[in-house]
Amino acid sequence: MKRCVLVTGASGFIGTRIVAGLAKVGWQVRAAARDPSLITAGGVERAAMPDLAHGADWPRLLEGATHVVHLAGIAHAPGALPDAVYNRINAEAVGELAGAARGKVERLVFMSSVRAQAGLSADRPITERDAPSPTDAYGRAKLEAERLVAESGVAFTVLRPAVVYGKGVKGNIAALATLARTPMPLPFAGFVNRRSLLALDNLASAVALVLDAEQAANQTFLVADDEAISVSGLVVAMREGLGRSPNLVKVPQGAVKRLLRTFGKEADWERISGEFIVDASKLRGIGWVPAVSTHDGIVRMMRTENGAAG
């Protein structure tokens, strides 16, 4: 019997790529989203999901499924939502899914986040051996969801991805890309601190691996590209993808911090100035090969979104 994977959150930035990738390699995919009409992949079964704030009919969605990739949830939005909302949708609903899937599926892959492991910066590379220390409601809810999955009795794999980038990305990467598209010099030449990111294609290959790998059973993995990149390196790659010179200038970091404060963006300072390196060697140890380097992935993203070939 052909194996069927239920993918929740199938119409989102990550879900769209995961659904297409799994269908391409031969999985029967049941793609579930709040609005199934937004699911663009061909050759998949589309299913409607309710608002997870009010519960879901998981037995109906799971019927006939042998595997699950759970992506649905609230994205990270600092200060935008009460803790209780994150906890309900990003933790309690996950626990309900895991309980419903127990004894019915071969593997539940839960998409957690590196924010379940750590805050915005770290003074040394982080690994799965480090005690989790989330610093906001989003990270705490993801960590609680991991606990509920592990205690449910379902066979599982947890992935903790770094910040994901690719065509259609939002958030801080998109904001930096908007700056990179302007002709103005940018004051990031002095920012050499490195941060780990994750190409969407690399994440898709990680999901495909852990759905099947025996070594991934009941394990938690950090996921990131092989090499971290600096903010200045990001802008260089973005402008290379646009066919332009870097046009970076070096200014005192204190001046950049004051500028961010002026625009109400002081909370972004740690993201720009802090070191955050993710050690994904545990996942590589079971055969994961992140084929896309961060530099090349960013160049390709900018070329694609700019309408250029590449």
Side-chain angles (χ1 to χ4, degrees):
M1 186 175 68
K2 194 170 184 180
R3 296 179 303 171
C4 173
V5 57
L6 167 66
V7 180
T8 70
S11 63
F13 166 61
I14 292 174
T16 297
R17 176 64 182 83
I18 299 298
V19 167
L22 292 177
K24 185 176 181 179
V25 297
W27 285 88
Q28 179 181 329
V29 179
R30 178 176 299 148
R34 291 283 300 280
D35 183 353
S37 69
L38 298 177
I39 298 168
T40 58
V44 304
E45 175 190 354
R46 292 166 176 79
M49 282 188 62
D51 184 347
L52 294 183
H54 307 297
D57 184 0
W58 291 121
R60 175 185 63 82
L61 288 167
L62 288 165
E63 186 175 356
T66 58
H67 295 70
V68 179
V69 178
H70 184 58
L71 307 173
I74 300 176
H76 188 229
L81 296 167
D83 290 12
V85 175
Y86 278 119
N87 198 56
R88 168 58 213 154
I89 295 175
N90 286 2
E92 291 175 7
V94 180
E96 291 162 4
L97 167 60
R102 182 178 60 246
K104 296 180 179 179
V105 303
E106 297 175 28
R107 180 76 52 86
L108 165 63
V109 176
F110 171 53
M111 193 67 67
S112 184
S113 168
V114 72
R115 295 305 302 276
Q117 177 90 39
L120 293 173
S121 62
D123 58 6
R124 58 186 174 83
I126 64 170
T127 76
E128 297 87 351
R129 295 184 298 275
D130 299 323
S133 184
T135 59
D136 61 12
Y138 175 80
R140 289 188 292 271
K142 285 291 192 179
L143 185 62
E144 173 64 7
E146 292 182 15
R147 183 188 70 79
L148 293 172
V149 168
E151 293 182 355
S152 71
V154 72
F156 71 91
T157 302
V158 170
L159 296 179
R160 292 176 177 167
V163 171
V164 181
Y165 63 90
K167 183 181 180 181
V169 71
K170 299 178 181 178
N172 293 313
I173 298 293
L176 189 59
T178 298
L179 284 176
R181 289 187 181 96
T182 68
M184 70 178 72
L186 294 177
F188 300 129
F191 287 78
V192 296
N193 54 294
R194 295 176 300 151
R195 300 186 69 83
S196 289
L197 300 176
L198 177 60
L200 186 53
D201 283 351
N202 288 342
L203 177 57
S205 70
V207 170
L209 172 69
V210 302
L211 269 174
D212 264 338
E214 289 185 13
Q215 306 99 309
N218 303 326
Q219 295 292 317
T220 297
F221 299 96
L222 288 162
V223 197
D225 293 346
D226 264 345
E227 294 185 3
I229 193 169
S230 65
V231 174
S232 59
L234 266 177
V235 176
V236 168
M238 286 175 173
R239 286 186 161 168
E240 180 181 331
L242 295 169
R244 291 163 45 192
S245 63
N247 200 12
L248 293 175
V249 295
K250 188 172 184 178
V251 300
Q253 292 196 8
V256 178
K257 186 175 183 179
R258 288 191 295 273
L259 182 64
L260 289 171
R261 185 187 300 125
T262 300
F263 288 98
K265 298 289 187 180
E266 191 171 8
D268 291 334
W269 173 248
E270 192 173 357
R271 291 185 180 91
I272 293 174
S273 63
E275 192 97 347
F276 194 76
I277 299 176
V278 175
D279 179 353
S281 57
K282 179 181 177 182
L283 184 57
R284 291 196 302 273
I286 69 166
W288 180 56
V289 180
V292 181
S293 72
T294 302
H295 176 273
D296 291 350
I298 293 291
V299 169
R300 184 187 309 164
M301 178 187 77
M302 297 301 287
R303 284 179 179 164
T304 301
E305 297 202 341
N306 202 45

